[in-house]
C-alpha cells in the first residue's frame, strides 16, 4: 500500500473507532515522518506533566531547586474514578521533590503535579520550554483546574451526559463551553509539538541538558499506565517510554519506542472521542493499531 492510501485507511479506522485523531510518527534517526493532522492544537490534559517534569529537572540541575527538599502536601481526597497517588490520599503527606516528580510523571498523580507547579508555576514552565526552543506547547494552568469538569458534577449514572457535553459543546474555532477543552484557555499542544519535545529529549544535539534529558526519559520509561499504546510497542526487543493524557472525551499518549536494532521512533497520538462513554477499550485499541501501522510503514521505507 502506498503512503497516501495508507493514511486514508488510517483516517477511516480512527473514524470507525469513534475518534477524531491527530497522529505523528517520526524516525528519530532519519527525520522521516508520517502524520494525520499533526499540527492541530488540542488540550494537553496530563501530557503537560512531561513539560513540567522537564522544567523541574532543569531547575534542579541549575541548583534552583533541591530534589531532596521535603514538602507538605495536602491530600486530594478525590473519590471519582481515575486519579491516582496523592490525589486519592485522605491525610497530609511529606514528600520529597524528586518523589513528587516520580508520582506526577509515572503515576500521573495530579496532586503531586500541582505541588511541583507551586514551585515552578505554569508561566515559568512555559518560559523554560521557550528557552529550550520548544515554543508550540502552551502551559497556562495547573492540574487542579482539570478536576472541576462535568464528570465531577454528575453522579456516576450520568457520566454519559458529561461526555455528551464535551462532544457537542465545542465551536468551529476550537473554543468550548467546558473551559478545560477550550484551546484558548487550556494547556495545549499538537502531535507535532509533542514529537518535537520527544526528539529534544532523545536525540543530540539538543538544547536540553543531557542530565535533564536522561532523567525525563527514565521517568517516562517507568510510566505505569500501559493500557493504551504500550500493548503494540512493548516486547523483549523494544523499550516503550511514554506519558498518557485523559480528560473527558480526550485520549492521548506520546512516547518513544526504541528497538534492539538501534531504530527509534517518536510517536504522538492525540484524540477526541465522538462516543459519549468514559470506558472505550475499542478506541484505545484503534489508537494503538494506527500508531503501530504508521511506525511499521516508516520502518520499511
Amino acid at each position: 500500500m502506498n503512503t497516501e492510501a495508507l493514511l486514508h485507511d488510517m483516517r477511516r479506522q480512527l473514524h470507525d473507532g469513534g475518534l477524531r485523531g491527530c497522529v505523528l510518527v517520526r524516525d528519530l534517526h532519519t527525520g522521516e515522518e508520517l502524520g494525520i493532522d499533526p499540527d492541530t492544537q488540542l488540550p494537553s490534559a496530563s501530557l503537560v506533566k512531561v513539560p513540567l517534569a522537564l522544567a523541574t529537572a532543569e531547575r534542579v540541575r541549575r541548583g534552583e531547586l533541591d530534589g531532596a527538599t521535603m514538602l507538605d502536601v495536602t491530600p486530594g481526597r478525590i473519590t471519582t474514578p481515575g486519579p491516582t497517588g496523592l490525589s486519592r490520599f485522605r491525610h497530609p503527606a511529606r514528600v520529597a521533590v524528586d518523589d513528587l516528580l516520580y508520582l506526577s510523571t509515572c503515576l500521573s498523580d495530579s496532586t503531586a503535579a500541582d505541588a511541583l507547579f507551586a514551585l515552578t508555576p505554569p508561566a515559568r514552565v512555559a518560559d523554560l520550554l521557550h528557552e529550550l526552543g520548544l515554543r508550540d506547547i502552551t502551559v497556562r494552568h495547573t492540574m487542579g483546574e482539570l478536576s472541576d469538569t462535568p464528570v465531577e458534577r454528575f453522579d456516576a449514572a450520568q457520566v454519559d451526559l458529561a461526555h455528551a457535553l464535551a462532544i457537542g459543546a465545542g465551536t468551529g474555532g476550537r473554543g468550548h463551553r467546558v473551559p478545560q477543552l477550550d484551546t484558548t484557555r487550556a494547556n495545549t499542544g499538537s502531535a507535532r509539538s509533542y514529537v518535537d519535545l520527544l526528539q529534544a529529549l532523545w536525540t543530540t544535539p539538543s538544547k536540553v541538558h543531557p542530565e535533564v534529558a536522561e532523567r525525563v526519559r527514565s521517568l517516562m520509561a517507568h510510566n505505569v499506565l500501559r493500557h493504551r499504546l504500550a500493548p503494540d510497542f512493548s516486547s523483549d526487543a523494544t523499550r516503550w517510554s511514554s506519558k498518557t493524557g485523559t480528560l473527558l472525551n480526550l485520549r492521548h499518549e506520546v512516547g518513544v519506542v526504541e528497538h534492539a536494532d538501534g531504530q527509534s521512533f517518536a510517536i504522538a497520538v492525540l484524540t477526541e472521542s465522538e462516543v459519549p462513554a468514559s470506558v472505550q477499550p475499542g478506541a484505545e485499541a484503534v489508537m494503538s493499531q494506527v500508531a503501530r501501522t504508521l511506525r511499521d510503514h516508516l520502518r520499511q521505507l
Side-chain angles (χ1 to χ4, degrees), residues 141-159:
H141 60 75
T142 64
M143 302 308 299
E145 297 184 38
L146 299 184
S147 65
D148 183 23
T149 72
V151 166
E152 287 72 37
R153 301 181 190 184
F154 294 125
D155 62 41
Q158 296 176 308
V159 68

Side-chain angles (χ1 to χ4, degrees), residues 50 103 283:
V50 179
L103 291 170

Side-chain angles (χ1 to χ4, degrees), residues 225-292:
L225 301 176
R226 306 183 69 80
H227 63 293
R228 194 160 285 164
L229 301 190
D232 272 294
F233 291 103
S234 298
S235 75
D236 289 345
T238 62
R239 176 185 175 108
W240 174 244
S241 306
S242 70
K243 180 73 191 75
T244 58
T246 309
L247 176 69
L248 292 170
N249 67 323
L250 302 178
R251 286 171 174 79
H252 306 329
E253 186 160 0
V254 302
V256 171
V257 58
E258 300 170 87
H259 295 277
D261 64 5
Q263 285 188 300
S264 298
F265 297 85
I267 298 165
V269 184
L270 281 60
T271 71
E272 300 171 298
S273 174
E274 297 180 299
V275 178
S278 61
V279 179
Q280 297 182 46
E284 315 274 2
V286 168
M287 290 173 63
S288 190
Q289 291 162 11
V290 168
R292 170 137 187 193

